[in-house]
Amino acid sequence: MLHLTLSLCELRKVKQQHEPKNIALPIGRLPVHCVSVLQTRRKRCKDQIFTLVQAASLVCRSWGDALRALREAMVLLRQGKQFKHGRGGVGRNLEKALVSFLKGAARGSTLAMVDAGLIYWERGQKEEAIALYQKAAALGDAAGQCNLGISYLNTQPLNHKEAVKWLHQASVGGHVRAQYQLALCLHQGLGVEQNLQEAVKWYLKAAEGGYVRAMYNASLCYTFGEGLSHSRRQARKWMKRAADRGHGKAQFEHGLALFSEGELLKAIVYLELATRSGEAAATHVKNAILQQLSATSRDLALLLTDNWRALPSSR
């Protein structure tokens, strides 16, 4: 019996010898109908490429126009802020600020819409302000939504339900002032059924975002057990945070707490800060404590108060 053994290289040669050859014919030797089909396909491809290039060109042009308007709006917004606050080497001029903001708003800047609305609101032109807030809110601007909601709470006829709607949208978007205002509506049952648990949830979100009034209200909720379990530790924590950020009532309350614990020097500092913030009741308590301190301690307390600086906040 004969056995044949072929190498891998020899097997490949045998395979290549028996495979059909692909013969490329010049286009001129193809049948006439085949040439016509190829030429038609080539023309169609060229037309498609030309159409795509035109479309891409139009897209680029439209993007360019949009970016140009956006750049102009940002320049106008910056100019408006300079005139509003008297910065950048220009004097404070609300009229020029408003003109710049309105031009920026016309180019689609929601920030400019809100700033123009604020000037109108301060002037008492509430309808013009609300119209700008509505435009910004419809475009998804959280500040515009917040201001629109607050406007519905402060203009006649009052529209609590619409206020809650816009405040909720801004709150979901992370706007801390809106979260605080929404919590107030839920706490008081304005435009929505009273819900203390939901109110506390939004107070805490705003407080965690740095909103001082929300810190104070969160402390009160923990103190009285409204919407959550009573917690003296949490109440003290949020009251101190509000006090350290300049909330006058919180400074008074925190000063009283320190006094009750025998921390007289610290109590004087917070009570003096509260007095300077306009809390008249703090003055009487402070004066009573000062009588218990030495002259040196009194001078030190006033020195600490003079050097005190509020921690940053979202107000």
Side-chain angles (χ1 to χ4, degrees):
M1 190 172 180
L2 181 64
H3 294 277
L4 295 177
T5 304
L6 297 176
S7 67
L8 181 60
C9 182
E10 290 171 329
L11 285 171
R12 285 177 179 170
K13 286 181 180 180
V14 172
K15 182 182 177 187
Q16 288 173 358
Q17 289 172 359
H18 291 82
E19 282 181 343
K21 305 295 183 182
N22 291 324
I23 300 173
L25 293 175
I27 192 169
R29 296 184 183 180
L30 291 175
V32 175
H33 70 279
C34 291
V35 173
S36 176
V37 169
L38 288 174
Q39 290 175 342
T40 302
R41 287 182 178 176
R42 285 178 179 175
K43 185 177 183 305
R44 190 180 301 160
C45 286
K46 288 180 180 179
D47 291 342
Q48 288 175 345
I49 292 170
F50 180 74
T51 302
L52 289 172
V53 170
Q54 276 189 320
S57 177
L58 290 173
V59 169
C60 291
R61 193 177 306 160
S62 63
W63 269 102
D65 293 341
L67 290 173
R68 189 182 307 111
L70 180 60
R71 285 194 296 268
E72 291 173 357
M74 294 305 294
V75 170
L76 290 164
L77 177 66
R78 185 168 61 251
Q79 289 176 351
K81 288 188 177 295
Q82 289 174 340
F83 283 120
K84 183 178 180 179
H85 302 291
R87 298 172 183 167
V90 300
R92 190 169 185 268
N93 189 320
L94 287 181
E95 191 60 43
K96 288 184 177 180
L98 179 60
V99 170
S100 294
F101 288 144
L102 289 174
K103 287 180 178 179
R107 287 163 175 76
S109 170
T110 58
L111 298 176
M113 294 174 196
V114 172
D115 276 318
L118 287 171
I119 293 179
Y120 275 132
W121 187 269
E122 291 168 1
R123 289 180 169 185
Q125 296 173 265
K126 295 186 176 181
E127 289 185 4
E128 289 84 350
I130 290 173
L132 285 163
Y133 293 154
Q134 287 172 334
K135 288 182 179 179
L139 290 170
D141 185 272
Q145 293 168 346
C146 175
N147 288 10
L148 181 59
I150 293 173
S151 299
Y152 286 132
L153 293 173
N154 292 280
T155 52
Q156 296 295 336
L158 301 177
N159 192 338
H160 293 148
K161 185 171 288 189
E162 196 70 9
V164 169
K165 166 190 162 184
W166 288 109
L167 289 172
H168 186 268
Q169 287 195 32
S171 296
V172 172
H175 196 282
V176 292
R177 188 185 179 194
Q179 291 169 347
Y180 170 72
Q181 292 291 337
L182 177 62
L184 285 178
C185 290
L186 289 161
H187 201 155
Q188 299 169 11
L190 296 177
V192 66
E193 185 177 348
Q194 186 182 46
N195 189 325
L196 296 181
Q197 287 77 18
E198 276 293 299
V200 170
K201 182 186 85 172
W202 289 111
Y203 279 141
L204 288 173
K205 281 186 178 291
E208 288 161 2
Y211 202 74
V212 179
R213 294 180 185 177
M215 295 177 190
Y216 179 72
N217 282 22
S219 174
L220 294 180
C221 289
Y222 276 116
T223 299
F224 299 107
E226 290 190 346
L228 40 64
S229 300
H230 167 76
S231 172
R232 183 175 179 276
R233 185 177 65 83
Q234 289 293 326
R236 286 294 302 276
K237 180 186 85 170
W238 286 112
M239 190 66 74
K240 185 179 186 306
R241 288 190 180 185
D244 287 341
R245 287 158 179 79
H247 193 286
K249 288 184 178 180
Q251 289 168 342
F252 179 39
E253 296 282 348
H254 188 56
L256 288 177
L258 290 168
F259 172 57
S260 68
E261 294 170 354
E263 297 280 355
L264 301 187
L265 193 63
K266 291 181 180 178
I268 285 293
V269 173
Y270 282 98
L271 290 170
E272 176 62 23
L273 290 170
T275 299
R276 296 179 184 183
S277 296
E279 294 297 321
T283 306
H284 305 295
V285 182
K286 177 197 70 175
N287 290 337
I289 299 173
L290 283 172
Q291 294 176 4
Q292 304 176 36
L293 298 177
S294 66
T296 303
S297 294
R298 288 197 294 267
D299 291 341
L300 177 58
L302 293 176
L303 178 63
L304 290 172
T305 306
D306 290 337
N307 292 326
W308 180 86
R309 295 293 181 271
L311 295 176
S313 68
S314 304
R315 301 309 299 171

